Amino acid sequence: MEKFVDNLSPMDLMRSEKMKLVQLIIPVESAHRAVSYLGELGLLQFRDLNAEKSPFQRTFVNQVKRCGEMSRKLRFFKDQIIKAGLLSSIHPVVEPDVELEELEILLAEHEHELIEMNSNSEKLRQTYNELLEFKIVLIKAGSFLVSSDNHAVAEERELSENVHSNHSYDEASSLIEQEMGTADQPGLRFISGIICKSKALRFERILFRATRGNMLFNQAPAGEEIMDPLSAVKAEKTVFVVFFSGEQARKKILKICEAFGANCYPVPEDFSKQRQITREVSSRLSELEVTLDAGIRHQNKALTSIGYHLTQWMSMVRREKAVYDTLNMLNFDVTKKCLVGEGWCPVFAKAKIQDALQRATVDSNSQVGIIFHVMDAVESPPTYFRTNHFTNAYQEIVDAYGVARYQEANPAVYTVITFPFLFAVMFGDWGHGICLLLGALVLIARESRLSTQKLGSFMEMLFGGRYVLLLMSLFSIYCGLIYNEFFSVPFHIFGGSAYKCRDATCSDAHSAGLIKFRDPYPFGVDPSWRGSRSELPLLNSLKMKMSILLGVTQMNLGIILSYFNAHFFRNSLDIRYQFVPQMIFLNSLFGYLSLLIIIKWCTGSQADLYHVMIYMFLSPTDDLGDNQLFWGQRPLQIVLLLLALVAVPWMLFPKPFILKKLHSERFQGRNYGMLISSEFHPDAEPDSAREHHEEFNFSEVFVHQMIHSIEFVLGAVSNTASYLRLWALSLAHSELSTVFYEKVLLLAWRYDNIVIRLIGLAVFAFATAFILLMMETLSAFLHALRLHWVEFQNKFYHGDGYKFKPFSFASITDDDD
């Protein structure tokens, strides 16, 4: 739906789009085309009017089954193309769509052809592999038989006594059929064959035990990996010849060969016969190679012709299946001539939908038009925010917590700025920020190419958040300039330092400290603080107080957004008895603390703010002494403390009793239930008593309000403390960076050895990339996520809505096959 978000404004994100429930009455002859046009538009979310029916009881179940069967055939074609290695060499062509019935017949023909070719190829391949094994057995086993020609018993061996497997070869049968009748004659016999090398040792041991040692086992490696005829898996194999005597031994050996998956082949004793059979087998192998090559070329040609249209066919079948799935959500009217459907659509899309339905009527040559009208709805509509490439990632961050309730304030508008900024407060280092910026720019520069490729889960997540990464890197550079850290190293970017040493040698810089001789450093932290004895206390104080200021500011923003929600839904009770006391309570305590921090920074006072805040509760009337920052501070603290105490019952008691009074006045003197109007009022507060006409449970409302009040009071303290994670992670990132720089890079640079320096540089680069740029980035990201989900959004955000999911061809993926 990117074509509808080109002129996106911040107000489009502030509130979700106004939605309407509409009803469609579509003639049967126009139904398929109308739903197809709506799928191309992608602005109508159909409601399932047949939810009580199983998939097999719906009207268009046969069409869905046919599409599913065609999808199976297309997946089969794709697997065959990938198996043949032709996917990269095929460039799809676009041709006019064919009718579904024609495509079904065409796919069936192609499938039958491919299955037949695969079957023939498999049989030929199995025969080829068997002959190849036979040839190797003839060569290897023949050497064993030739070496035993000097023995007298060799003359008694007969070829007909050779025991072989069920594989028969016409080429070799003429040489041994004359001796088949002498199989029962006694004498020394042998069985030759081939077995996997990994099984050879166990095979020999089992044979020895089964024959009680009355056998002779010879073996030789095949020399190369061979394709097994049955499993079609390449494996190292060993040729064996087992000499034995007796029919019982023969049966035992055959069973063991079968159990171990050994393939047995007949080898004649006569050397001339061996040579003749070898020549015949080699000739047969050459013929099979030619036949197999011809079959592969024919199959590749068929697959290539299919591959040209495969993408188009798969898209067509997916769309048709989606259309029939949607038609199954519609109901027939009483005349069985029209389909009735209902769905949600944005108000701005009504005209576009009506145009699409009008085109469907004209293109289907229907005599009856499609009726489109707005319905009244009781339930809450879905939530739909128009987003673009830039804002979509921030909206997904908010939706991961919970989808906004219909028309409530959307945190994503503020998350666009606050999320990357809070990340940068924890990650601030302009050297590391530049590294993140380069990564983000690479992803954005390749946006058009990467958006069309299938990426892994991690890369897909990284690519989806490329604009989040961009702002995080820019804010990290900004905060890094304020902290004056470039891979933990300070620079005099904005002028000279305001401090200098006490003498020319600067020997007492770390003990006695420096002296100020000019105006303060114009931007950020003075580089002279680096390495001084007061560096850590300064940065701790700065970052801790800054964290409190940022936290109180963001929490106030959340409470202000709750006012806008209440004002939008015309709920004056929430304004008077939630917004006002919450603002008073939070700012009487932590707003006052923020004011003290700013005054202390501006005046340079040495007041102890811990002491001030603790004794504001313990001894509010005591004299402040040296901790007084301004005139009238003590009476102001007493007033603020009283306001905070008053704000708690203000939040707790009035609202439940007023709701009870309003309910009793509304139904006073009525002995019958109030008729509930089917009209939906989008401007009414969902939590108001309007939705509880027939029943009002005061105890439930009071307990809910009590929980909400206690949660806010305790949360004001815990949430403020939670923002101190900004200080903690910023300090940890800075100290880690310092350790890697001083204890790895500088330590290696002290040695006048190029190898040690290169090792130190490699370790520093590895630590920077994998610890500071990956682990620390992930850590800061998760903590910023928590601050937004919990500390910010719980002040105003319900997040109990559901997403607008229109029927759209653009949202159909390969997984829908």
Side-chain angles (χ1 to χ4, degrees):
M1 289 185 289
E2 298 295 335
K3 56 185 176 182
F4 299 118
V5 297
D6 292 336
N7 299 320
L8 190 65
S9 68
M11 293 309 296
D12 292 322
L13 279 174
M14 185 63 191
R15 303 277 174 193
S16 61
E17 293 292 335
K18 289 185 177 181
M19 310 293 289
K20 289 295 182 181
L21 181 64
V22 298
Q23 186 180 55
L24 308 176
I25 302 177
I26 313 172
V28 174
E29 63 270 15
S30 305
H32 183 279
R33 197 177 296 272
V35 173
S36 296
Y37 288 175
L38 292 175
E40 292 173 357
L41 191 63
L43 287 173
L44 180 65
Q45 176 180 327
F46 285 92
R47 298 171 68 187
D48 191 357
L49 303 181
N50 299 310
E52 71 284 353
K53 295 182 180 180
S54 70
F56 302 101
Q57 295 174 324
R58 305 204 177 198
T59 308
F60 299 94
V61 60
N62 291 329
Q63 287 82 348
V64 173
K65 286 182 179 178
R66 288 169 58 194
C67 292
E69 181 63 18
M70 285 190 283
S71 295
R72 182 196 62 78
K73 293 174 182 176
L74 290 169
R75 289 196 302 272
F76 169 69
F77 297 155
K78 186 175 181 180
D79 291 341
Q80 292 295 307
I81 291 173
I82 294 173
K83 186 177 179 181
L86 302 173
L87 190 62
S88 58
S89 61
I90 297 176
H91 303 286
V93 296
V94 179
E95 293 184 356
D97 288 340
V98 297
E99 293 295 330
L100 191 64
E101 290 75 12
E102 295 178 11
L103 180 61
E104 189 174 16
I105 296 171
L106 186 62
L107 295 182
E109 292 175 354
H110 284 308
E111 184 188 32
H112 178 73
E113 182 185 5
L114 279 178
I115 289 176
E116 188 174 355
M117 283 192 291
N118 286 341
S119 177
N120 294 335
S121 177
E122 185 177 351
K123 290 177 181 177
L124 290 173
R125 180 64 62 182
Q126 182 177 356
T127 303
Y128 178 83
N129 291 331
E130 288 173 351
L131 287 173
L132 185 61
E133 283 190 346
F134 190 18
K135 180 181 178 181
I136 295 173
V137 170
L138 284 169
I139 296 172
K140 297 290 182 180
S143 61
F144 298 141
L145 299 177
V146 170
S147 64
S148 60
D149 280 342
N150 297 327
H151 299 285
V153 292
E155 298 177 357
E156 299 178 2
R157 298 175 191 157
E158 296 184 5
L159 186 59
S160 59
E161 296 175 352
N162 292 350
V163 182
H164 53 86
S165 64
N166 294 329
H167 310 300
S168 60
Y169 303 95
D170 296 334
E171 298 84 336
S173 60
S174 60
L175 299 173
I176 60 174
E177 61 181 2
Q178 58 183 348
E179 303 181 16
M180 290 295 290
T182 61
D184 294 332
Q185 294 180 4
L188 186 62
R189 309 181 184 183
F190 68 89
I191 294 175
S192 57
I194 191 168
I195 191 172
C196 288
K197 186 178 180 181
S198 58
K199 300 178 182 179
L201 182 59
R202 288 180 292 146
F203 179 62
E204 182 180 0
R205 289 176 178 175
I206 295 295
L207 287 176
F208 185 83
R209 292 175 184 175
T211 59
R212 299 182 180 181
N214 295 319
M215 66 94 187
L216 178 63
F217 186 85
N218 288 332
Q219 61 178 331
E224 59 182 8
E225 288 190 347
I226 327 173
M227 188 81 71
D228 188 80
L230 296 179
S231 63
V233 176
K234 277 194 172 184
E236 291 186 2
K237 294 200 171 187
T238 299
V239 176
F240 66 88
V241 176
V242 183
F243 297 94
F244 63 92
S245 178
E247 183 63 22
Q248 293 297 325
R250 170 181 165 276
K251 291 180 179 179
K252 289 181 181 179
I253 293 171
L254 283 178
K255 288 182 179 179
I256 294 171
C257 289
E258 183 180 356
F260 275 82
N263 298 325
C264 300
Y265 298 96
V267 178
E269 293 180 75
D270 187 80
F271 183 69
S272 61
K273 291 182 179 180
Q274 290 179 19
R275 293 181 61 185
Q276 184 179 352
I277 295 177
T278 303
R279 285 195 299 270
E280 292 177 359
V281 170
S282 299
S283 174
R284 180 62 177 154
L285 284 172
S286 301
E287 294 174 2
L288 283 175
E289 286 178 359
V290 174
T291 307
L292 284 170
D293 289 340
I296 290 173
R297 287 195 300 271
H298 180 62
Q299 186 179 28
N300 289 346
K301 184 178 179 181
L303 290 173
T304 302
S305 65
I306 294 173
Y308 289 141
H309 311 283
L310 185 64
T311 302
Q312 182 181 1
W313 289 345
M314 293 183 76
S315 175
M316 179 183 172
V317 172
R318 279 198 294 265
R319 289 160 66 108
E320 288 295 324
K321 185 175 183 296
V323 168
Y324 285 116
D325 282 334
T326 304
L327 286 172
N328 276 332
M329 301 168 70
L330 278 58
N331 265 338
F332 275 103
D333 67 345
V334 291
T335 66
K336 301 294 183 181
K337 294 181 179 180
C338 293
L339 287 167
V340 180
E342 296 177 4
W344 295 100
C345 73
V347 172
F348 74 86
K350 285 170 59 179
K352 297 183 177 71
I353 293 174
Q354 288 174 325
D355 290 342
L357 296 177
Q358 183 64 33
R359 285 191 292 111
T361 302
V362 173
D363 294 345
S364 59
N365 298 320
S366 175
Q367 302 298 320
V368 182
I370 300 173
I371 300 174
F372 174 90
H373 67 91
V374 179
M375 299 174 61
D376 296 329
V378 177
E379 68 271 23
S380 178
T383 301
Y384 172 44
F385 294 103
R386 286 193 281 178
T387 59
N388 54 26
H389 289 305
F390 182 80
T391 60
N392 183 65
Y394 297 97
Q395 189 64 57
E396 290 297 326
I397 288 174
V398 173
D399 289 346
Y401 174 81
V403 179
R405 180 180 291 183
Y406 178 64
Q407 292 261 287
E408 78 169 323
N410 183 17
V413 179
Y414 310 95
T415 302
V416 171
I417 298 300
T418 59
F419 183 87
F421 179 73
L422 292 185
F423 168 88
V425 171
M426 295 179 276
F427 191 76
D429 186 302
W430 62 280
H432 298 153
I434 289 174
C435 295
L436 291 183
L437 179 62
L438 294 175
L441 292 178
V442 168
L443 292 175
I444 293 172
R446 300 184 177 182
E447 180 176 329
S448 58
R449 188 159 63 92
L450 292 175
S451 59
T452 58
Q453 294 180 357
K454 190 171 182 63
L455 306 174
S457 56
F458 176 75
M459 277 303 300
E460 186 177 0
M461 179 181 64
L462 198 63
F463 177 70
R466 58 195 180 280
Y467 290 108
V468 179
L469 190 63
L470 175 67
L471 286 191
M472 290 195 309
S473 61
L474 292 176
F475 279 115
S476 295
I477 294 173
Y478 170 74
C479 289
L481 291 173
I482 291 179
Y483 299 156
N484 203 345
E485 291 187 5
F486 178 83
F487 296 100
S488 79
V489 180
F491 284 88
H492 294 77
I493 303 175
F494 302 101
S497 172
Y499 300 89
K500 67 177 182 179
C501 296
R502 298 176 181 271
D503 53 27
T505 61
C506 209
S507 57
D508 58 350
H510 294 284
S511 56
L514 306 175
I515 58 172
K516 186 175 182 179
F517 74 101
R518 64 166 68 171
D519 291 336
Y521 193 67
F523 184 83
V525 176
D526 194 309
S528 294
W529 288 104
R530 176 72 177 183
S532 66
R533 61 178 182 175
S534 53
E535 177 192 8
L536 200 57
L538 169 77
L539 294 179
N540 273 339
S541 176
L542 171 68
K543 294 180 179 180
M544 180 176 63
K545 292 180 174 63
M546 181 178 65
S547 300
I548 294 174
L549 291 177
L550 293 174
V552 172
T553 302
Q554 191 174 36
M555 288 190 291
N556 272 292
L557 175 61
I559 298 175
I560 291 171
L561 288 177
S562 72
Y563 164 79
F564 286 117
N565 271 340
H567 179 73
F568 180 82
F569 292 115
R570 298 192 179 97
N571 190 341
S572 59
L573 286 180
D574 282 352
I575 296 176
R576 291 196 296 266
Y577 303 111
Q578 280 190 198
F579 166 71
V580 175
Q582 285 179 0
M583 286 294 288
I584 291 174
F585 182 84
L586 181 65
N587 291 291
S588 295
L589 301 179
F590 301 103
Y592 174 65
L593 174 61
S594 302
L595 176 66
L596 294 180
I597 291 173
I598 294 173
I599 293 175
K600 183 176 180 180
W601 277 351
C602 295
T603 60
S605 171
Q606 298 298 316
D608 186 356
L609 299 187
Y610 295 108
H611 185 277
V612 172
M613 293 303 298
I614 291 172
Y615 283 93
M616 177 180 173
F617 292 91
L618 297 180
S619 303
T621 58
D622 288 357
D623 185 34
L624 295 173
D626 295 337
N627 292 320
Q628 181 166 334
L629 289 165
F630 56 90
W631 180 85
Q633 182 178 353
R634 187 175 64 179
L636 177 62
Q637 289 185 174
I638 296 174
V639 172
L640 292 176
L641 184 61
L642 292 175
L643 286 174
L645 294 175
V646 170
V648 177
W650 191 351
M651 279 187 284
L652 176 60
F653 294 109
K655 185 178 177 180
F657 287 99
I658 292 174
L659 287 175
K660 182 180 180 182
K661 181 182 177 183
L662 291 175
H663 184 269
S664 60
E665 288 177 353
R666 180 176 299 176
F667 298 102
Q668 188 174 8
R670 301 184 185 182
N671 295 323
Y672 51 88
M674 184 177 183
L675 292 176
I676 301 177
S677 170
S678 62
E679 182 179 3
F680 175 72
H681 301 281
D683 296 333
E685 166 62 27
D687 288 337
S688 67
R690 183 183 62 80
E691 293 188 357
H692 308 281
H693 297 300
E694 300 178 358
E695 181 180 357
F696 182 82
N697 191 331
F698 174 76
S699 61
E700 183 179 342
V701 173
F702 185 82
V703 169
H704 179 271
Q705 187 66 23
M706 181 174 64
I707 293 173
H708 182 77
S709 302
I710 294 174
E711 182 184 11
F712 179 82
V713 172
L714 298 179
V717 180
S718 65
N719 292 350
T720 305
S722 182
Y723 276 94
L724 292 177
R725 71 184 67 237
L726 299 174
W727 157 47
L729 266 78
S730 174
L731 183 64
H733 184 83
S734 176
E735 291 301 311
L736 271 176
S737 185
T738 301
V739 167
F740 291 138
Y741 175 71
E742 294 182 351
K743 303 302 181 183
V744 176
L745 189 61
L746 291 186
L747 188 62
W749 233 251
R750 292 175 185 171
Y751 294 90
D752 191 15
N753 188 313
I754 187 64
V755 176
I756 295 178
R757 289 186 175 185
L758 288 176
I759 292 175
L761 185 61
V763 173
F764 176 75
F766 178 85
T768 300
F770 289 95
I771 297 179
L772 296 176
L773 290 181
M774 290 184 64
M775 294 179 60
E776 283 288 302
T777 299
L778 181 60
S779 175
F781 183 91
L782 293 176
H783 283 283
L785 199 63
R786 184 252 153 72
L787 290 177
H788 280 78
W789 281 357
V790 179
E791 278 71 25
F792 174 51
Q793 291 179 191
N794 70 353
K795 302 293 185 296
F796 68 98
Y797 189 61
H798 292 95
D800 55 358
Y802 63 101
K803 265 188 177 183
F804 175 62
K805 296 180 179 178
F807 171 59
S808 173
F809 291 146
S811 62
I812 300 176
T813 62
D814 293 343
D815 297 334
D816 295 322
D817 287 340

